[in-house]
Amino acid sequence: MNKNALPIGVFDSGLGGLTAFAELKRIMPGENIIYFGDNARIPYGTKSPALIKKYALQDTRFLTSVGVKAILVACGTVSSNCLPDVGAESGLPVTGVIKSPASIAAKIAAKGKGTVAVLGTTATVRSGAFQRELETLGVKNVIARACPMFVPLAESWHPSADDAAANAIAREYLSDVALKQPDAVILGCTHYPLLSDVIKKFFPGSALISSGRESAYEMRDVIVSLGLENRGGGEYGFYTSDDADLFKRSAAAFLGDEITGEVKKIDIEKF
Ligand code: DGL
């Protein structure tokens, strides 16, 4: 089979990585894409680095068993804790959700006060990966804040800007970060864009950067630079470790649109 026609594999602990999938599909319409959401084992962000790595390697082995030409790790937690392990396990080009958003944030900060806030899961913030990347890019002040309750909120419903529960939780996490008026706020967990109406209220003057959305551009650069582009594809397949119908319904609510392509349930523990 022509290697270029193989799909790009995208995975996340759940639905959040669909933010990356949607943008990849938009900017690379000729690509076939396979998405895996580990909905049965979400959240990853509260787990230990060892367990996150175990899950990430199983997700990787599943995607390589289907046959993919590259992997986009559409999960901030995996990207920041064990991205090189996914590369070593798969032997494929692998990109995550850190580099592209960090480089955009650094450019914005360079023209402003030099302050960037990173919101992510507990494991993402603890890893220090976003902080190191931003510091390497010359950002003077980096504020990182773990917002673990945002993941179940985003998976369960799409809160409106005035949702009382979402606002109470956001106030707890974000009030003091908001006082620093960062130039840019990286939504370092791919689930957080679903809460952007709520988060934006705390940062009216800041650029909100979706790590999932921006990660699609790094994958595009890699695919183009390796000459792996496909034309005339546009077929999509979805896999979940939980119920397929539930995934389909939740994904439609998450994306605000029906997903086109078959959804299958797999037993991730077999990989
Ligand atoms: N989308 C994942 C991330 O970006 C969700 C985190 C989780 O599973 O806790 O980190």
Side-chain angles (χ1 to χ4, degrees):
M1 188 191 190
N2 168 15
K3 195 174 178 191
N4 292 42
L6 285 173
I8 298 171
V10 179
F11 79 85
D12 180 35
S13 57
L15 300 169
L18 290 170
T19 52
F21 165 81
E23 189 66 1
L24 193 59
K25 178 180 160 191
R26 195 183 71 77
I27 64 172
M28 302 200 83
E31 296 296 332
N32 300 310
I33 308 173
I34 294 284
Y35 183 91
F36 172 63
D38 195 3
N39 302 74
R41 305 191 295 190
I42 194 173
Y44 283 10
T46 53
K47 308 286 196 302
S48 66
L51 194 56
I52 293 165
K53 180 175 166 184
K54 178 187 163 193
Y55 287 176
L57 295 187
Q58 287 180 308
D59 303 344
T60 302
R61 287 194 285 272
F62 165 65
L63 287 175
T64 53
S65 79
V66 177
V68 292
K69 63 182 175 186
I71 297 178
L72 196 173
V73 177
C75 174
T77 305
V78 173
S79 299
S80 57
N81 279 270
C82 52
L83 198 66
D85 298 301
V86 174
E89 180 68 30
S90 64
L92 295 169
V94 168
T95 60
V97 298
I98 296 177
K99 276 189 185 292
S100 292
S103 113
I104 292 170
K107 284 186 193 126
I108 295 169
K111 291 192 206 125
K113 297 194 302 282
T115 304
V116 173
V118 179
L119 312 182
T121 67
T122 307
T124 295
V125 169
R126 190 182 51 208
S127 77
F130 271 107
Q131 298 92 311
R132 281 192 298 277
E133 182 73 18
L134 288 162
E135 277 154 21
T136 304
L137 294 168
V139 178
K140 291 200 288 285
N141 311 305
V142 180
I143 312 154
R145 177 55 48 88
C147 310
M149 289 298 288
F150 282 177
V151 172
L153 270 180
E155 284 268 323
S156 317
W157 78 95
H158 189 159
S160 62
D162 54 3
D163 183 275
N167 275 279
I169 292 167
R171 199 171 309 118
E172 192 64 29
Y173 292 145
L174 304 180
S175 294
D176 58 332
V177 184
L179 292 177
K180 306 269 195 254
Q181 300 183 344
D183 304 304
V185 178
I186 298 178
L187 306 180
C189 169
T190 53
H191 279 73
Y192 294 0
L194 251 81
L195 301 170
S196 54
D197 290 348
V198 176
I199 295 170
K200 187 70 194 163
K201 284 165 59 180
F202 291 82
F203 302 105
S206 313
L208 242 55
I209 300 169
S210 159
S211 60
R213 183 177 188 279
E214 299 308 330
S215 71
Y217 295 89
E218 186 186 351
M219 178 51 82
R220 181 175 68 181
D221 291 348
V222 167
I223 293 285
V224 170
S225 71
L226 295 175
L228 283 174
E229 280 166 291
N230 190 45
R231 288 177 221 291
E235 284 181 20
Y236 311 111
F238 300 88
Y239 294 85
T240 173
S241 51
D242 197 1
D243 183 73
D245 287 336
L246 181 60
F247 181 91
K248 203 163 194 164
R249 279 200 308 279
S250 312
F254 200 94
L255 290 174
D257 201 2
E258 294 295 324
I259 51 173
T260 51
E262 207 184 346
V263 184
K264 288 190 196 142
K265 179 182 176 173
I266 58 141
D267 181 358
I268 192 64
E269 294 298 349
K270 288 195 178 139
F271 292 88

